[in-house]
Amino acid sequence: MTNKKDKIIKLDAVVVGAGFSGLYMLYRLREAGFSTRVFEAADGVGGVWHKNRYPGARCDNESIDYNFTFSEELFKEWNWSHKFSEQSEILDYLNYVADKFDLRRDIQLNTRITAAHYDEEINRWNIQTDEGSTLSAKYFISGAGCLSAANIPKFKGLDSFDGEWYHTGNWPKEKVNFKGKRVGVIGTGSTGVQLIPAIAEEVDHLTVFQRTPQYSVPARNHPYDPEYLKQVKDNFSEFKRKRRYSFGGFPNDVEARPSALKDTPEEREKLYEAAWQKGAVSSFFLETYEDLTVNEEANETLAAFIRKKIREIVKDPELAEKLMPTYYYGTKRPIQDTNYYETYNRENVSLVDVKAKPIVEITPKGIRTTDGEYELDIIVFATGYDAMTGSLFKIDIRGKDGITLKEKWEDGEQVKTYLGIATSGFPNMFMITGPESPSVLSNVPTSIEQHVEWISDCIEYLRENEMNIFEAKEEAEEEWSKHCREVAEATLFTKTDSWYLGANVAGKPRRFLIYLGGVGPYREKCSEVAAKGYEGFSLRSSLKKA
Ligand code: N01
């Protein structure tokens, strides 16, 4: 019998992760004739949508916008039930995609890639998996996602807890029974805000441990009108074009008014109130006026409007004050909800301000803050992710001279990429929605499609031109990183502690790793680079053919 460890599997491309990115990457590369295999640590396809099964999980982008457009047939035959679909429906969709395009035969589930080392001698990536396989690939492509490495704060004593605990990003498949239980939720980001109302009715008592009060706006989710879906589908080409060239990757860019400060308070109120009543994708509020993310005073007009709404909804004025957000609206991920603030009017829900009275430890019985001990049966960590770089750093990635990605990015003074797609010193490695691309500040499937198409075109170009080394040039990434920082620093985004900056993870260097120049302009820049023979990248041929 051959020992798995002795057998080296040779492939053109190895792709990490079977979410939106990995599925489409596999489809494109296979269509182009490259031997490709996707490795997925979970026991099913779907990426974050496979793992985020917590109660209340649903998409907070509009369903018809949040899907693939590479296949008109797929787009037209899939019917979303609601404006904001729940997790199980998105997971069904991704499974449907995997089956429709016969992708499963090249996806290896239950297998984590643990290491990927570039061998300069032979110009190949040596890749190890946790079940002992060794692979040799020309191209190493990460579709690991920006928000997949769970952030579980290192509270003292977690191991001693006698009850059950869960992180929302690794939710079990079996139903968690909250009935009659005293439940503590740590975290009030997009996830906590979805989860809290969804479990409040079932639990005996819910204690929310809040560090930063959040702005949230009503989603007003509803079943889709089939007539509306038909209209969108009938205009597929226009829908796709708009999505690709818009600022945020959505098909309907809103016509923002120039400045919140140029309208009268009454005009502003009318605009904000209309958005509040309509319910919308939360980022829509930022599109009411052009200066909301760059001007503190303008931002305050919207922040004050939402604070007023919180005071109207929450009946206990003292509690309402505890829920009052103070940061610049939109500089943490905008949130939308169904009955979030209303949930605090329930008798069985209480709020603990852990900024004022921090969590000291987890005890066998529950959570101890500086104010006392809260006895709990279940603790839910809705504490988010080690975003942007966490999923890459979970793999031991080494480029030229054995330098690890972590050494290059974290021990160096700055993460540096060219276009968020590649980084110097790591030839033939590509990142789908990598750091310094629009990624999480865009409609993510739009950005994934753009990167996947750019990467597969690039790999085809290398084949056609008989080249086998592709690498970002240091000077190009230097310039791009500087540009990314300058764009971000001209906004209010860098003035708030958020996961965009890595501020949610203790000890993580504070860097803004998302390109804020807009999806459309970014796409044009990437296309221009490709049209100029991949300017800013070094394309060459190794002596030994890979
Ligand atoms: O994570 P978060 P999330 N002690 O980082 C708190 C996407 N998403 O899972 O704000 C106490 O936003 C932390 O407090 P603070 C979406 O992009 C998409 O909610 O850092 N509290 C915060 O309240 C989203 O933005 C969908 O002070 C601690 C919370 O935990 C992203 O995922 C749905 C703490 C974490 O909030 C992440 O959202 C859901 C500590 N030590 C999520 N550490 C869609 O529908 C952290 N917190 C597409």
Side-chain angles (χ1 to χ4, degrees), residues 226-434:
E227 201 37 53
Y228 168 73
L229 288 183
K230 184 177 175 306
Q231 258 177 39
V232 176
K233 290 179 182 184
D234 286 349
N235 290 296
F236 173 75
S237 302
E238 183 59 2
F239 172 93
K240 182 169 172 171
R241 192 194 60 75
K242 281 189 177 164
R243 203 174 90 144
R244 289 157 79 93
Y245 290 97
S246 66
F247 192 81
F250 296 97
N252 305 310
D253 264 353
V254 180
E255 278 290 306
R257 293 172 65 77
S259 168
L261 304 176
K262 287 199 178 129
D263 276 359
T264 64
E266 293 73 28
E267 284 165 336
R268 277 197 305 260
E269 176 82 10
K270 206 171 148 197
L271 199 64
Y272 295 152
E273 183 63 31
W276 184 273
Q277 292 309 331
K278 184 170 174 237
V281 175
S282 46
S283 53
F284 169 76
F285 276 77
L286 285 177
E287 293 170 12
T288 46
Y289 292 105
E290 275 174 11
D291 56 354
L292 291 174
T293 52
V294 292
N295 182 306
E296 298 175 15
E297 216 186 312
N299 190 286
E300 177 56 22
T301 63
L302 176 53
F305 172 84
I306 300 176
R307 282 187 218 116
K308 185 186 73 172
K309 289 290 184 189
I310 302 172
R311 289 195 180 98
E312 282 167 16
I313 299 168
V314 180
K315 293 186 182 133
D316 173 348
E318 220 175 288
L319 184 55
E321 285 319 301
K322 273 207 222 170
L323 286 163
M324 222 40 76
T326 51
Y327 63 91
Y328 299 118
Y329 179 78
T331 53
K332 279 175 174 285
R333 168 89 152 38
I335 302 178
Q336 63 192 40
D337 69 275
T338 302
N339 297 331
Y340 175 62
Y341 297 116
E342 289 81 349
T343 300
Y344 291 97
N345 291 330
R346 296 179 63 91
E347 289 285 311
N348 69 335
V349 176
S350 49
L351 181 69
V352 177
D353 176 353
V354 293
K355 191 160 263 168
K357 306 274 162 63
I359 295 173
V360 179
E361 62 176 340
I362 313 273
T363 66
K365 287 188 187 158
I367 293 177
R368 187 193 306 283
T369 70
T370 53
D371 203 25
E373 189 177 27
Y374 296 82
E375 292 194 5
L376 302 165
D377 303 305
I378 300 178
I379 299 174
V380 178
F381 290 88
T383 42
Y385 300 90
D386 181 355
M388 313 312 295
T389 51
S391 54
L392 290 163
F393 290 164
K394 271 168 87 174
I395 305 169
D396 174 17
I397 300 176
R398 291 170 194 244
K400 291 197 302 207
D401 302 323
I403 303 285
T404 68
L405 191 63
K406 204 164 186 314
E407 279 164 354
K408 180 182 170 187
W409 281 357
E410 212 159 89
D411 303 342
E413 86 274 23
Q414 179 68 41
V415 169
K416 280 185 195 136
T417 74
Y418 188 35
L419 301 173
I421 295 175
T423 188
S424 69
F426 295 78
N428 298 344
M429 172 178 143
F430 295 91
M431 296 168 289
I432 305 169
T433 63

